[in-house]
Amino acid sequence: MTTFLQNCFAGLALGSTYALVALGFVVIYKSTGVINFAQGGLLALGAYLGFTFANNLAIAFGAAILLACASAALVGAGFSRIVLRRMVGQPPFAVIMITIGLLFVLEPLITAIWGFDNLQVENPWNIQTLEAGGIVFGVRDLWTIGLTAAVVVGFFLFFRFTSLGLAMRATAFDPEAALAQGISARRVYAVSWAIASALAALAGITMAAGPGGLSPSIGFIALAAFPAMILGGLDSPAGAVLGGIVIGLAEALTRGYQDQLFSWAGDNVSIIVPYLLMIVILLIRPYGLLGTKDVRRI
């Protein structure tokens, strides 16, 4: 039982990171109707900006996190204002290709500035642990779970009780009606990209603060968060959080019981489990666990 609970804690910490990335996916999809394939690049950019603020500029780690998120948000909002505003009314496929292009721009830009070496982010957590009931809790993991919970609560309060959040929900529900009421679609899109970029940066810097350090490959975590978004439902923020936790638990439990149950499948079976789980869920619920069912009347 101790081993099981230890693996569940590891899965909850990993799932919290997935939830942040998946939430960024959903924010942009709800407001623009397209999937942002540049989310991994924004995650890596945020992580490296956090490294620069914390290590190179010797800024306190908490302030470095805020600065990294704010800087990534400016990048996302600027990209929306400069590039994507010209794509309003264009086919979604064209916008998706532009997000892929942004990913291919960010990846070499990051390596050109920071190089390929593995970097260690200075943080107050290091490898500190707490132990209770035979279970070892990493301090970084506890902070990751706490930060994710705070961000998720703030996210839902923002969408429910602020005028800008209401404008974003209205635009997602019916863009034409929102425009008729005087809501600026370009402003909504820019804010959506800013929020998604900040969420990606937060996920990136919390991952980079771990024992694995920071490398350009950190952006690939977005590929693992992609099944979380699909599993929870493309248009459901709550589904993104739920999907992230489910995927994180599935991956951690698979890794924890690799030798006992999956030794025949090789060492990396935990990597494919999220995608297998996604396929199974979509076969049962094609619109995801909490996604909106698309009903078409003829």
Side-chain angles (χ1 to χ4, degrees), residues 277-289:
L277 185 59
M278 177 188 72
I279 292 172
V280 171
I281 294 297
L282 290 180
L283 288 175
I284 301 171
R285 295 178 65 87
Y287 41 89
L289 293 174

Side-chain angles (χ1 to χ4, degrees), residues 6 9 43-44 58 66 74 81 85 109 145 149 202 241 262 271 294 297:
Q6 185 73 66
F9 172 73
L43 183 149
L66 294 177
L74 288 175
R81 283 288 190 179
R85 67 181 300 175
L109 181 64
I145 294 170
L202 179 60
V241 177
F262 304 103
I271 297 176
D294 187 15
R297 293 181 174 88

Side-chain angles (χ1 to χ4, degrees), residues 262-275:
F262 304 103
S263 58
W264 52 271
D267 296 333
N268 296 320
V269 65
S270 62
I271 297 176
I272 66 171
V273 163
Y275 300 94

Side-chain angles (χ1 to χ4, degrees), residues 226-248:
F226 191 78
M229 173 193 64
I230 301 296
L231 185 149
L234 276 171
D235 61 347
S236 172
V241 177
L242 176 61
I245 299 301
V246 170
I247 292 297

Side-chain angles (χ1 to χ4, degrees), residues 26-115:
V26 170
V27 168
I28 291 181
Y29 182 83
K30 278 183 69 68
S31 62
T32 66
V34 301
I35 297 175
N36 173 27
F37 284 96
Q39 195 75 353
L42 293 169
L43 183 149
L45 178 64
Y48 276 97
L49 288 172
F51 167 82
T52 299
F53 291 130
N55 287 46
N56 298 346
L57 302 180
I59 297 174
F61 190 69
I65 291 179
L66 294 177
L67 287 172
C69 291
S71 301
L74 288 175
V75 171
F79 178 73
S80 176
R81 283 288 190 179
I82 296 171
V83 178
L84 294 182
R85 67 181 300 175
R86 305 175 185 276
M87 300 301 294
V88 173
Q90 300 301 317
F93 176 77
V95 182
I96 290 174
M97 294 305 297
I98 288 180
T99 67
I100 295 174
L102 175 61
L103 174 62
F104 289 148
V105 168
L106 287 176
E107 287 182 343
L109 181 64
I110 288 170
T111 55
I113 296 174
W114 287 281

